[in-house]
Amino acid sequence: YTVPEALAWLRTLVRTLVHEYGYRWIKLDGPIRRYYAGGVFRSPQVTSVQHIRLALEAIREAAGDAILEGEGYYGPSIGLVDTQRVTQDIQQDWPRLRHTAQVNLLSTFMHRRLWINNPDAFILRDAPTPHYSPEGTPETVMTQHELETEVTALALSGGVVMLTDRMIQLRERRKAFVDAFIPIYPTPARPVDLFNARTCPEIFHQKVRTAWEAYDVIAVFNWEDAPRAIEVPLDGIDLEPAERRVAFEYWTQTFLRTVQHALDLDEIPAHGVRVIALRALREHPFVMGTSLHVTQGGVELSGQTWDQRKQVLGFTVSSWARCPRSVHVHVPDGLALDAVRCTSNPLSHDLKSPHHLLVEYEAGGTVRFEVSFRPRA
C-alpha cells in the first residue's frame, strides 16, 4: 500500500460504503502478514507490518466516525480502530471453545485501554451449524456446562456482543440465555491466579458497582475433563470491605452460606464453571442473587431501596426473555416475611430457609417488587 493509486482506490471504496451506502460498521477480516507472502513491494524499505498500518490509516481517514473493527495483528491497529477481535472464530467444539474463552478472559487488560475488545459471536443453538463440517466431521453440540462456560467468559470480559443465531429457531431455554450476558457489564473481570494456575487461570474477579451497592463476583472455571473441587482463598483478593459476606451461586441458583476467608466449591463439573456473587452481610433484607444476568444485579437490578420504618424492600428487575425468573432475597435474623407484591403475574414465593427468600415471577420487560417484613415472633 505504498502505491498511491492503490491507496486512492481504498479511500474511495471506504468513503462510498460509509458516506453513500450508509454503512456504519466496517469490519476488516484478517489483515495479517501471510497475505503478503511472495509479494513484491514498490518500496522495499517498507515492511509488511508497515503496509498494514498504512492501509489502516487510509481506511480510518475515509471511514470518518463510522465504527472500524480491526482483526489480526494488534500493533498496527492501535489508535486507529474502535474495536478489535481478540480471539479466533468460535465453534461448537470444546478444545476451540476452551481456547477462545481463555484468550478472551486474558485479553481484558486491553479492553477500554487500546480499544473495545471484540470476543467474536455467541453460540446458543443446540444443533450443529447447517452446512458446516470441518475436515468432513459434523460439528458437535455444546453440553449445558460448556454453554455456561462460554456465556460466563463472554459476559465477564466486556466488549462487543454479536449474537449470530436465528432467534426464531432457538428453543425457549436457549433464548433465555440472552439475559445472562446482554447488556454487557462495562468493566471486565481480572484473573486472580494468573501466576499459579495449573495452565490457564481458573479464578476471575469482577467488581460490580451500582447506585445501590458495591459487591464482587467470583467466577471459577474447571478447564479439565473431570469434575473437581476447588477452594478459593478470599483474603488475597481485592474484595469490597466486609466482615462477613453472603455467597450466592448463579448457575445452580444456590445460597451457599455466609463466608469469611474462603469459598469451598465441592464439585465443579468437567468443562463447567461456578459464578458466585459476594455481598456484604447487612442488618436488613437485600437481593443476594438472581437468575438473570451473570453479574446477578450489575445490569438487570435497579432502584433497590429499604424503608426502615415500613420494613419494605423495593427493587426493579429488567429482562428481555419472557420466561420464569427468580430473585433471591437474604432475610436477616429477627425478621419474617409478611407479603410479596410485584407488577407481573403469576407470582410465587418460598422461604427456602430462614435467611433465603425465593421469589419467582414471569419475566419480560420491567417488573417492580415490594417485599414487606415483620418482626419474627
Side-chain angles (χ1 to χ4, degrees), residues 207 209 214 216 238-245 279-281:
K207 284 184 171 293
R209 290 183 171 88
D216 302 276
D238 181 27
L239 301 177
E240 295 295 328
E243 292 185 7
R244 299 181 67 191
R245 298 177 177 87
R279 288 175 161 93
L281 182 64

Side-chain angles (χ1 to χ4, degrees), residues 1 3 31 41 47 59 120 122 124 131 138 140 144 149 165 194 196 240 258 264 274 287 299 335 350 358 371:
Y1 286 102
V3 179
F41 300 152
T47 68
I59 294 170
D120 198 20
F122 292 76
L124 297 181
H131 316 299
T140 58
Q144 179 71 15
T149 291
D165 294 295
L194 184 60
N196 57 5
E240 295 295 328
T258 56
D264 294 315
R274 293 290 179 258
V287 174
V299 300
L335 288 182
D350 181 25
L358 165 63
V371 185

